PDB file of all heavy atoms in Angstrom:
ATOM      1  N   THR A 601      90.102-140.165 118.128  1.00  0.00           N
ATOM      2  CA  THR A 601      90.781-141.409 118.496  1.00  0.00           C
ATOM      3  C   THR A 601      92.241-141.381 118.060  1.00  0.00           C
ATOM      4  O   THR A 601      93.142-141.768 118.811  1.00  0.00           O
ATOM      5  CB  THR A 601      90.065-142.618 117.874  1.00  0.00           C
ATOM      6  OG1 THR A 601      88.698-142.616 118.277  1.00  0.00           O
ATOM      7  CG2 THR A 601      90.717-143.916 118.309  1.00  0.00           C
ATOM      8  N   LEU A 602      92.499-140.914 116.859  1.00  0.00           N
ATOM      9  CA  LEU A 602      93.867-140.820 116.356  1.00  0.00           C
ATOM     10  C   LEU A 602      94.694-139.852 117.190  1.00  0.00           C
ATOM     11  O   LEU A 602      95.855-140.126 117.519  1.00  0.00           O
ATOM     12  CB  LEU A 602      93.843-140.381 114.891  1.00  0.00           C
ATOM     13  CG  LEU A 602      95.181-140.359 114.148  1.00  0.00           C
ATOM     14  CD1 LEU A 602      95.786-141.752 114.060  1.00  0.00           C
ATOM     15  CD2 LEU A 602      94.995-139.773 112.751  1.00  0.00           C
ATOM     16  N   VAL A 603      94.101-138.717 117.533  1.00  0.00           N
ATOM     17  CA  VAL A 603      94.791-137.716 118.355  1.00  0.00           C
ATOM     18  C   VAL A 603      95.142-138.293 119.721  1.00  0.00           C
ATOM     19  O   VAL A 603      96.263-138.113 120.221  1.00  0.00           O
ATOM     20  CB  VAL A 603      93.914-136.458 118.500  1.00  0.00           C
ATOM     21  CG1 VAL A 603      94.467-135.525 119.579  1.00  0.00           C
ATOM     22  CG2 VAL A 603      93.825-135.716 117.168  1.00  0.00           C
ATOM     23  N   ASP A 604      94.199-138.990 120.341  1.00  0.00           N
ATOM     24  CA  ASP A 604      94.454-139.564 121.662  1.00  0.00           C
ATOM     25  C   ASP A 604      95.598-140.567 121.621  1.00  0.00           C
ATOM     26  O   ASP A 604      96.525-140.513 122.438  1.00  0.00           O
ATOM     27  CB  ASP A 604      93.192-140.256 122.187  1.00  0.00           C
ATOM     28  CG  ASP A 604      92.132-139.280 122.654  1.00  0.00           C
ATOM     29  OD1 ASP A 604      92.455-138.096 122.854  1.00  0.00           O
ATOM     30  OD2 ASP A 604      90.971-139.709 122.821  1.00  0.00           O
ATOM     31  N   VAL A 605      95.522-141.496 120.681  1.00  0.00           N
ATOM     32  CA  VAL A 605      96.517-142.573 120.640  1.00  0.00           C
ATOM     33  C   VAL A 605      97.910-142.033 120.328  1.00  0.00           C
ATOM     34  O   VAL A 605      98.870-142.271 121.072  1.00  0.00           O
ATOM     35  CB  VAL A 605      96.106-143.643 119.602  1.00  0.00           C
ATOM     36  CG1 VAL A 605      97.236-144.662 119.417  1.00  0.00           C
ATOM     37  CG2 VAL A 605      94.827-144.340 120.031  1.00  0.00           C
ATOM     38  N   VAL A 606      98.036-141.289 119.246  1.00  0.00           N
ATOM     39  CA  VAL A 606      99.352-140.779 118.860  1.00  0.00           C
ATOM     40  C   VAL A 606      99.841-139.740 119.866  1.00  0.00           C
ATOM     41  O   VAL A 606     101.033-139.690 120.192  1.00  0.00           O
ATOM     42  CB  VAL A 606      99.307-140.191 117.433  1.00  0.00           C
ATOM     43  CG1 VAL A 606     100.656-139.565 117.067  1.00  0.00           C
ATOM     44  CG2 VAL A 606      98.946-141.274 116.428  1.00  0.00           C
ATOM     45  N   GLY A 607      98.928-138.921 120.382  1.00  0.00           N
ATOM     46  CA  GLY A 607      99.312-137.912 121.366  1.00  0.00           C
ATOM     47  C   GLY A 607      99.915-138.518 122.616  1.00  0.00           C
ATOM     48  O   GLY A 607     100.938-138.039 123.133  1.00  0.00           O
ATOM     49  N   VAL A 608      99.309-139.596 123.130  1.00  0.00           N
ATOM     50  CA  VAL A 608      99.833-140.234 124.346  1.00  0.00           C
ATOM     51  C   VAL A 608     101.171-140.922 124.065  1.00  0.00           C
ATOM     52  O   VAL A 608     102.136-140.759 124.817  1.00  0.00           O
ATOM     53  CB  VAL A 608      98.813-141.248 124.905  1.00  0.00           C
ATOM     54  CG1 VAL A 608      99.439-142.049 126.054  1.00  0.00           C
ATOM     55  CG2 VAL A 608      97.565-140.532 125.398  1.00  0.00           C
ATOM     56  N   VAL A 609     101.241-141.691 122.976  1.00  0.00           N
ATOM     57  CA  VAL A 609     102.480-142.408 122.664  1.00  0.00           C
ATOM     58  C   VAL A 609     103.633-141.431 122.434  1.00  0.00           C
ATOM     59  O   VAL A 609     104.727-141.580 122.996  1.00  0.00           O
ATOM     60  CB  VAL A 609     102.291-143.304 121.428  1.00  0.00           C
ATOM     61  CG1 VAL A 609     103.622-143.929 121.012  1.00  0.00           C
ATOM     62  CG2 VAL A 609     101.266-144.399 121.711  1.00  0.00           C
ATOM     63  N   ALA A 610     103.393-140.411 121.612  1.00  0.00           N
ATOM     64  CA  ALA A 610     104.446-139.430 121.321  1.00  0.00           C
ATOM     65  C   ALA A 610     104.755-138.576 122.545  1.00  0.00           C
ATOM     66  O   ALA A 610     105.909-138.180 122.762  1.00  0.00           O
ATOM     67  CB  ALA A 610     104.029-138.550 120.149  1.00  0.00           C
ATOM     68  N   GLY A 611     103.733-138.275 123.348  1.00  0.00           N
ATOM     69  CA  GLY A 611     103.949-137.480 124.553  1.00  0.00           C
ATOM     70  C   GLY A 611     104.841-138.184 125.553  1.00  0.00           C
ATOM     71  O   GLY A 611     105.725-137.564 126.168  1.00  0.00           O
ATOM     72  N   LEU A 612     104.631-139.472 125.750  1.00  0.00           N
ATOM     73  CA  LEU A 612     105.502-140.241 126.644  1.00  0.00           C
ATOM     74  C   LEU A 612     106.937-140.238 126.129  1.00  0.00           C
ATOM     75  O   LEU A 612     107.897-140.157 126.899  1.00  0.00           O
ATOM     76  CB  LEU A 612     104.986-141.668 126.772  1.00  0.00           C
ATOM     77  CG  LEU A 612     103.688-141.844 127.579  1.00  0.00           C
ATOM     78  CD1 LEU A 612     103.125-143.241 127.371  1.00  0.00           C
ATOM     79  CD2 LEU A 612     103.925-141.584 129.061  1.00  0.00           C
ATOM     80  N   LYS A 613     107.079-140.333 124.801  1.00  0.00           N
ATOM     81  CA  LYS A 613     108.415-140.289 124.199  1.00  0.00           C
ATOM     82  C   LYS A 613     109.074-138.940 124.458  1.00  0.00           C
ATOM     83  O   LYS A 613     110.262-138.867 124.788  1.00  0.00           O
ATOM     84  CB  LYS A 613     108.288-140.540 122.696  1.00  0.00           C
ATOM     85  CG  LYS A 613     109.611-140.626 121.952  1.00  0.00           C
ATOM     86  CD  LYS A 613     110.302-141.946 122.210  1.00  0.00           C
ATOM     87  CE  LYS A 613     111.531-142.106 121.323  1.00  0.00           C
ATOM     88  NZ  LYS A 613     112.224-143.391 121.557  1.00  0.00           N
ATOM     89  N   ARG A 614     108.317-137.856 124.328  1.00  0.00           N
ATOM     90  CA  ARG A 614     108.851-136.515 124.578  1.00  0.00           C
ATOM     91  C   ARG A 614     109.309-136.354 126.027  1.00  0.00           C
ATOM     92  O   ARG A 614     110.251-135.601 126.314  1.00  0.00           O
ATOM     93  CB  ARG A 614     107.789-135.464 124.269  1.00  0.00           C
ATOM     94  CG  ARG A 614     107.571-135.212 122.788  1.00  0.00           C
ATOM     95  CD  ARG A 614     108.207-133.898 122.380  1.00  0.00           C
ATOM     96  NE  ARG A 614     107.980-133.577 120.987  1.00  0.00           N
ATOM     97  CZ  ARG A 614     108.262-132.399 120.458  1.00  0.00           C
ATOM     98  NH1 ARG A 614     108.775-131.422 121.212  1.00  0.00           N
ATOM     99  NH2 ARG A 614     108.052-132.163 119.175  1.00  0.00           N
ATOM    100  N   LEU A 615     108.641-137.040 126.942  1.00  0.00           N
ATOM    101  CA  LEU A 615     109.011-136.966 128.357  1.00  0.00           C
ATOM    102  C   LEU A 615     110.191-137.867 128.699  1.00  0.00           C
ATOM    103  O   LEU A 615     110.636-137.911 129.843  1.00  0.00           O
ATOM    104  CB  LEU A 615     107.813-137.337 129.233  1.00  0.00           C
ATOM    105  CG  LEU A 615     106.680-136.304 129.299  1.00  0.00           C
ATOM    106  CD1 LEU A 615     105.462-136.907 129.993  1.00  0.00           C
ATOM    107  CD2 LEU A 615     107.126-135.040 130.016  1.00  0.00           C
ATOM    108  N   GLY A 616     110.677-138.592 127.711  1.00  0.00           N
ATOM    109  CA  GLY A 616     111.826-139.463 127.935  1.00  0.00           C
ATOM    110  C   GLY A 616     111.487-140.748 128.660  1.00  0.00           C
ATOM    111  O   GLY A 616     112.364-141.370 129.285  1.00  0.00           O
ATOM    112  N   ILE A 617     110.227-141.182 128.571  1.00  0.00           N
ATOM    113  CA  ILE A 617     109.787-142.377 129.281  1.00  0.00           C
ATOM    114  C   ILE A 617     110.244-143.633 128.543  1.00  0.00           C
ATOM    115  O   ILE A 617     109.986-143.803 127.348  1.00  0.00           O
ATOM    116  CB  ILE A 617     108.254-142.384 129.450  1.00  0.00           C
ATOM    117  CG1 ILE A 617     107.809-141.150 130.236  1.00  0.00           C
ATOM    118  CG2 ILE A 617     107.788-143.664 130.122  1.00  0.00           C
ATOM    119  CD1 ILE A 617     108.435-141.011 131.608  1.00  0.00           C
ATOM    120  N   GLU A 618     110.912-144.529 129.273  1.00  0.00           N
ATOM    121  CA  GLU A 618     111.386-145.782 128.689  1.00  0.00           C
ATOM    122  C   GLU A 618     110.479-146.957 129.009  1.00  0.00           C
ATOM    123  O   GLU A 618     110.404-147.919 128.248  1.00  0.00           O
ATOM    124  CB  GLU A 618     112.798-146.081 129.201  1.00  0.00           C
ATOM    125  CG  GLU A 618     113.821-145.017 128.851  1.00  0.00           C
ATOM    126  CD  GLU A 618     115.148-145.254 129.546  1.00  0.00           C
ATOM    127  OE1 GLU A 618     115.956-146.039 128.999  1.00  0.00           O
ATOM    128  OE2 GLU A 618     115.363-144.699 130.639  1.00  0.00           O
ATOM    129  N   ARG A 619     109.818-146.923 130.171  1.00  0.00           N
ATOM    130  CA  ARG A 619     108.902-147.990 130.560  1.00  0.00           C
ATOM    131  C   ARG A 619     107.632-147.384 131.135  1.00  0.00           C
ATOM    132  O   ARG A 619     107.675-146.363 131.812  1.00  0.00           O
ATOM    133  CB  ARG A 619     109.538-148.904 131.621  1.00  0.00           C
ATOM    134  CG  ARG A 619     110.702-149.727 131.127  1.00  0.00           C
ATOM    135  CD  ARG A 619     110.302-150.768 130.092  1.00  0.00           C
ATOM    136  NE  ARG A 619     109.286-151.690 130.582  1.00  0.00           N
ATOM    137  CZ  ARG A 619     109.559-152.806 131.257  1.00  0.00           C
ATOM    138  NH1 ARG A 619     110.816-153.136 131.516  1.00  0.00           N
ATOM    139  NH2 ARG A 619     108.592-153.607 131.644  1.00  0.00           N
ATOM    140  N   VAL A 620     106.501-148.058 130.882  1.00  0.00           N
ATOM    141  CA  VAL A 620     105.208-147.598 131.384  1.00  0.00           C
ATOM    142  C   VAL A 620     104.599-148.697 132.241  1.00  0.00           C
ATOM    143  O   VAL A 620     104.603-149.881 131.857  1.00  0.00           O
ATOM    144  CB  VAL A 620     104.243-147.249 130.231  1.00  0.00           C
ATOM    145  CG1 VAL A 620     102.888-146.789 130.776  1.00  0.00           C
ATOM    146  CG2 VAL A 620     104.853-146.165 129.344  1.00  0.00           C
ATOM    147  N   TYR A 621     104.086-148.309 133.398  1.00  0.00           N
ATOM    148  CA  TYR A 621     103.403-149.233 134.299  1.00  0.00           C
ATOM    149  C   TYR A 621     102.006-148.680 134.584  1.00  0.00           C
ATOM    150  O   TYR A 621     101.743-147.491 134.410  1.00  0.00           O
ATOM    151  CB  TYR A 621     104.187-149.391 135.609  1.00  0.00           C
ATOM    152  CG  TYR A 621     105.568-149.965 135.408  1.00  0.00           C
ATOM    153  CD1 TYR A 621     106.644-149.130 135.112  1.00  0.00           C
ATOM    154  CD2 TYR A 621     105.791-151.334 135.496  1.00  0.00           C
ATOM    155  CE1 TYR A 621     107.916-149.658 134.910  1.00  0.00           C
ATOM    156  CE2 TYR A 621     107.062-151.867 135.297  1.00  0.00           C
ATOM    157  CZ  TYR A 621     108.116-151.027 135.008  1.00  0.00           C
ATOM    158  OH  TYR A 621     109.357-151.554 134.801  1.00  0.00           O
ATOM    159  N   SER A 622     101.127-149.559 135.035  1.00  0.00           N
ATOM    160  CA  SER A 622      99.759-149.119 135.305  1.00  0.00           C
ATOM    161  C   SER A 622      99.156-149.936 136.431  1.00  0.00           C
ATOM    162  O   SER A 622      99.517-151.107 136.643  1.00  0.00           O
ATOM    163  CB  SER A 622      98.889-149.258 134.048  1.00  0.00           C
ATOM    164  OG  SER A 622      97.542-148.900 134.316  1.00  0.00           O
ATOM    165  N   SER A 623      98.202-149.314 137.137  1.00  0.00           N
ATOM    166  CA  SER A 623      97.385-150.037 138.089  1.00  0.00           C
ATOM    167  C   SER A 623      96.345-150.857 137.334  1.00  0.00           C
ATOM    168  O   SER A 623      96.236-150.772 136.110  1.00  0.00           O
ATOM    169  CB  SER A 623      96.689-149.048 139.033  1.00  0.00           C
ATOM    170  OG  SER A 623      95.728-148.284 138.313  1.00  0.00           O
ATOM    171  N   ALA A 624      95.561-151.636 138.064  1.00  0.00           N
ATOM    172  CA  ALA A 624      94.466-152.379 137.443  1.00  0.00           C
ATOM    173  C   ALA A 624      93.457-151.403 136.846  1.00  0.00           C
ATOM    174  O   ALA A 624      93.314-150.265 137.309  1.00  0.00           O
ATOM    175  CB  ALA A 624      93.796-153.276 138.480  1.00  0.00           C
ATOM    176  N   VAL A 625      92.767-151.838 135.817  1.00  0.00           N
ATOM    177  CA  VAL A 625      91.801-150.990 135.115  1.00  0.00           C
ATOM    178  C   VAL A 625      90.433-151.103 135.793  1.00  0.00           C
ATOM    179  O   VAL A 625      89.909-152.211 135.949  1.00  0.00           O
ATOM    180  CB  VAL A 625      91.688-151.409 133.636  1.00  0.00           C
ATOM    181  CG1 VAL A 625      90.614-150.588 132.922  1.00  0.00           C
ATOM    182  CG2 VAL A 625      93.030-151.252 132.934  1.00  0.00           C
ATOM    183  N   PRO A 626      89.833-149.975 136.223  1.00  0.00           N
ATOM    184  CA  PRO A 626      88.508-150.037 136.842  1.00  0.00           C
ATOM    185  C   PRO A 626      87.453-150.514 135.843  1.00  0.00           C
ATOM    186  O   PRO A 626      87.394-150.031 134.712  1.00  0.00           O
ATOM    187  CB  PRO A 626      88.243-148.582 137.257  1.00  0.00           C
ATOM    188  CG  PRO A 626      89.585-147.927 137.288  1.00  0.00           C
ATOM    189  CD  PRO A 626      90.383-148.614 136.228  1.00  0.00           C
ATOM    190  N   ALA A 627      86.631-151.458 136.276  1.00  0.00           N
ATOM    191  CA  ALA A 627      85.622-152.014 135.386  1.00  0.00           C
ATOM    192  C   ALA A 627      84.444-151.068 135.186  1.00  0.00           C
ATOM    193  O   ALA A 627      83.810-151.086 134.127  1.00  0.00           O
ATOM    194  CB  ALA A 627      85.117-153.346 135.943  1.00  0.00           C
ATOM    195  N   GLY A 628      84.139-150.228 136.183  1.00  0.00           N
ATOM    196  CA  GLY A 628      82.928-149.426 136.108  1.00  0.00           C
ATOM    197  C   GLY A 628      81.719-150.302 136.404  1.00  0.00           C
ATOM    198  O   GLY A 628      81.844-151.475 136.769  1.00  0.00           O
ATOM    199  N   ALA A 629      80.533-149.743 136.233  1.00  0.00           N
ATOM    200  CA  ALA A 629      79.317-150.494 136.528  1.00  0.00           C
ATOM    201  C   ALA A 629      78.124-149.856 135.836  1.00  0.00           C
ATOM    202  O   ALA A 629      78.153-148.672 135.497  1.00  0.00           O
ATOM    203  CB  ALA A 629      79.075-150.539 138.047  1.00  0.00           C
ATOM    204  N   GLY A 630      77.095-150.652 135.607  1.00  0.00           N
ATOM    205  CA  GLY A 630      75.865-150.133 135.031  1.00  0.00           C
ATOM    206  C   GLY A 630      75.784-150.349 133.535  1.00  0.00           C
ATOM    207  O   GLY A 630      76.282-151.345 133.004  1.00  0.00           O
ATOM    208  N   MET A 631      75.164-149.392 132.849  1.00  0.00           N
ATOM    209  CA  MET A 631      74.945-149.472 131.415  1.00  0.00           C
ATOM    210  C   MET A 631      75.406-148.183 130.750  1.00  0.00           C
ATOM    211  O   MET A 631      75.497-147.134 131.399  1.00  0.00           O
ATOM    212  CB  MET A 631      73.452-149.695 131.100  1.00  0.00           C
ATOM    213  CG  MET A 631      72.862-150.944 131.720  1.00  0.00           C
ATOM    214  SD  MET A 631      73.464-152.443 130.915  1.00  0.00           S
ATOM    215  CE  MET A 631      72.844-153.691 132.078  1.00  0.00           C
ATOM    216  N   VAL A 632      75.695-148.257 129.450  1.00  0.00           N
ATOM    217  CA  VAL A 632      76.073-147.077 128.687  1.00  0.00           C
ATOM    218  C   VAL A 632      75.343-147.113 127.352  1.00  0.00           C
ATOM    219  O   VAL A 632      75.168-148.182 126.759  1.00  0.00           O
ATOM    220  CB  VAL A 632      77.604-147.014 128.471  1.00  0.00           C
ATOM    221  CG1 VAL A 632      78.104-148.207 127.664  1.00  0.00           C
ATOM    222  CG2 VAL A 632      78.008-145.713 127.790  1.00  0.00           C
ATOM    223  N   ARG A 633      74.873-145.953 126.886  1.00  0.00           N
ATOM    224  CA  ARG A 633      74.185-145.887 125.608  1.00  0.00           C
ATOM    225  C   ARG A 633      75.203-145.606 124.505  1.00  0.00           C
ATOM    226  O   ARG A 633      76.025-144.713 124.623  1.00  0.00           O
ATOM    227  CB  ARG A 633      73.118-144.788 125.641  1.00  0.00           C
ATOM    228  CG  ARG A 633      72.228-144.762 124.382  1.00  0.00           C
ATOM    229  CD  ARG A 633      71.078-143.783 124.554  1.00  0.00           C
ATOM    230  NE  ARG A 633      70.208-144.167 125.643  1.00  0.00           N
ATOM    231  CZ  ARG A 633      69.256-145.089 125.542  1.00  0.00           C
ATOM    232  NH1 ARG A 633      69.075-145.733 124.402  1.00  0.00           N
ATOM    233  NH2 ARG A 633      68.501-145.388 126.572  1.00  0.00           N
ATOM    234  N   SER A 634      75.148-146.377 123.431  1.00  0.00           N
ATOM    235  CA  SER A 634      76.071-146.226 122.316  1.00  0.00           C
ATOM    236  C   SER A 634      75.288-146.247 121.016  1.00  0.00           C
ATOM    237  O   SER A 634      74.065-146.435 120.999  1.00  0.00           O
ATOM    238  CB  SER A 634      77.100-147.364 122.324  1.00  0.00           C
ATOM    239  OG  SER A 634      76.510-148.562 121.851  1.00  0.00           O
ATOM    240  N   GLU A 635      76.013-146.096 119.898  1.00  0.00           N
ATOM    241  CA  GLU A 635      75.360-146.168 118.595  1.00  0.00           C
ATOM    242  C   GLU A 635      74.880-147.578 118.276  1.00  0.00           C
ATOM    243  O   GLU A 635      74.080-147.782 117.372  1.00  0.00           O
ATOM    244  CB  GLU A 635      76.312-145.661 117.502  1.00  0.00           C
ATOM    245  CG  GLU A 635      76.603-144.174 117.616  1.00  0.00           C
ATOM    246  CD  GLU A 635      77.399-143.654 116.438  1.00  0.00           C
ATOM    247  OE1 GLU A 635      77.586-144.416 115.472  1.00  0.00           O
ATOM    248  OE2 GLU A 635      77.823-142.496 116.485  1.00  0.00           O
ATOM    249  N   HIS A 636      75.395-148.565 119.017  1.00  0.00           N
ATOM    250  CA  HIS A 636      74.925-149.936 118.848  1.00  0.00           C
ATOM    251  C   HIS A 636      73.688-150.212 119.709  1.00  0.00           C
ATOM    252  O   HIS A 636      73.086-151.276 119.596  1.00  0.00           O
ATOM    253  CB  HIS A 636      76.024-150.925 119.243  1.00  0.00           C
ATOM    254  CG  HIS A 636      77.247-150.840 118.385  1.00  0.00           C
ATOM    255  ND1 HIS A 636      77.289-151.275 117.077  1.00  0.00           N
ATOM    256  CD2 HIS A 636      78.487-150.349 118.648  1.00  0.00           C
ATOM    257  CE1 HIS A 636      78.501-151.080 116.575  1.00  0.00           C
ATOM    258  NE2 HIS A 636      79.237-150.516 117.508  1.00  0.00           N
ATOM    259  N   GLY A 637      73.336-149.267 120.590  1.00  0.00           N
ATOM    260  CA  GLY A 637      72.262-149.476 121.545  1.00  0.00           C
ATOM    261  C   GLY A 637      72.808-149.422 122.965  1.00  0.00           C
ATOM    262  O   GLY A 637      73.938-148.977 123.200  1.00  0.00           O
ATOM    263  N   VAL A 638      72.038-149.887 123.921  1.00  0.00           N
ATOM    264  CA  VAL A 638      72.463-149.901 125.324  1.00  0.00           C
ATOM    265  C   VAL A 638      73.397-151.084 125.543  1.00  0.00           C
ATOM    266  O   VAL A 638      73.079-152.230 125.189  1.00  0.00           O
ATOM    267  CB  VAL A 638      71.251-149.991 126.262  1.00  0.00           C
ATOM    268  CG1 VAL A 638      71.711-150.082 127.711  1.00  0.00           C
ATOM    269  CG2 VAL A 638      70.350-148.778 126.065  1.00  0.00           C
ATOM    270  N   LEU A 639      74.565-150.809 126.127  1.00  0.00           N
ATOM    271  CA  LEU A 639      75.572-151.838 126.360  1.00  0.00           C
ATOM    272  C   LEU A 639      75.895-151.942 127.845  1.00  0.00           C
ATOM    273  O   LEU A 639      75.823-150.945 128.575  1.00  0.00           O
ATOM    274  CB  LEU A 639      76.860-151.508 125.603  1.00  0.00           C
ATOM    275  CG  LEU A 639      76.785-151.436 124.079  1.00  0.00           C
ATOM    276  CD1 LEU A 639      78.116-150.944 123.513  1.00  0.00           C
ATOM    277  CD2 LEU A 639      76.425-152.793 123.503  1.00  0.00           C
ATOM    278  N   PRO A 640      76.299-153.123 128.301  1.00  0.00           N
ATOM    279  CA  PRO A 640      76.752-153.256 129.686  1.00  0.00           C
ATOM    280  C   PRO A 640      78.124-152.620 129.851  1.00  0.00           C
ATOM    281  O   PRO A 640      78.881-152.473 128.893  1.00  0.00           O
ATOM    282  CB  PRO A 640      76.812-154.772 129.896  1.00  0.00           C
ATOM    283  CG  PRO A 640      77.102-155.315 128.523  1.00  0.00           C
ATOM    284  CD  PRO A 640      76.349-154.410 127.572  1.00  0.00           C
TER     285      PRO A 640
END
């Protein structure tokens, strides 16, 4: 998790990115199994 977060933030900085934009986030569907149990 630490590698992902810092890697993306620092990587964008290395690319000289000043602003970030994004499309809508896909919700997905169904269920997923986690350490807390089955989650929606």
Side-chain angles (χ1 to χ4, degrees):
T601 304
L602 186 63
V603 168
D604 285 344
V605 172
V606 176
V608 172
V609 174
L612 289 167
K613 184 75 172 180
R614 284 255 183 169
L615 288 170
I617 300 302
E618 300 172 85
R619 292 294 303 273
V620 179
Y621 298 87
S622 177
S623 68
V625 176
M631 302 288 169
V632 62
R633 187 172 298 279
S634 76
E635 293 187 8
H636 297 288
V638 177
L639 298 174

